[in-house]
Amino acid sequence: MRKFIFISLLVALSVVLAACGSAAAPADTTSSKQVSIKLETNPTPAVKGDIELIFTITDASGTPIEGAKVDVNAEHPSMAGMGMSGQATEQGGGKYSIKANFSDPGDWKLTIYVRKGELDYKEEFDLAIQ
């Protein structure tokens, strides 16, 4: 009988302690990006051949980021080894551009790296070349 009471008290104590424990904090489902990059192409839509990629880069409050180093990497995932990279040139007002030759139509993956002071940001874009 003593064993039954002891086990019952142990179980009750476990339940009480579990109920008093703090709940896990909910995961933050809102993602606040520190940088926003808008991609434009010239010509639009992007076609096979020479294309100018234009990036408008702003901080979280919408202020243009000027004086950054912006590196661009382009890969054609369906064609191993087909890719290119380079540094975009600042145009002013948070705009940066780079000219590239997309020799093959299809889906390309662009990776943009923005670096300035403590800022080190990377974002990927999918670009369809017609």
Side-chain angles (χ1 to χ4, degrees):
M1 182 72 163
R2 282 182 154 186
K3 194 173 189 180
F4 176 74
I5 293 172
F6 178 74
I7 292 174
S8 296
L9 285 173
L10 188 59
V11 169
L13 182 61
S14 298
V15 170
V16 169
L17 288 175
C20 291
S22 64
D28 183 10
T29 57
T30 59
S31 174
S32 60
K33 294 183 352 181
Q34 59 182 344
V35 173
S36 174
I37 302 175
K38 179 183 170 194
L39 169 64
E40 300 173 68
T41 63
N42 183 20
T44 300
V47 293
K48 178 180 164 182
D50 292 328
I51 297 174
E52 181 180 24
L53 302 173
I54 305 157
F55 305 98
T56 303
I57 305 174
T58 57
D59 64 16
S61 65
T63 304
I65 295 177
E66 296 182 323
K69 179 181 177 191
V70 178
D71 293 307
V72 180
N73 184 33
E75 295 179 5
H76 197 313
S78 65
M79 307 270 302
M82 183 176 274
M84 59 191 130
S85 62
Q87 187 171 344
T89 304
E90 186 170 5
Q91 305 298 310
K95 288 191 181 276
Y96 297 81
S97 70
I98 187 169
K99 293 186 180 175
N101 184 284
F102 291 88
S103 59
D104 206 39
D107 295 325
W108 289 73
K109 178 176 274 184
L110 301 178
T111 306
I112 315 308
Y113 300 91
V114 179
R115 296 179 182 98
K116 179 181 179 182
E118 296 293 315
L119 176 66
D120 189 359
Y121 181 79
K122 173 181 127 177
E123 189 169 337
E124 294 181 344
F125 292 87
D126 292 322
L127 178 65
I129 302 295
Q130 298 180 2

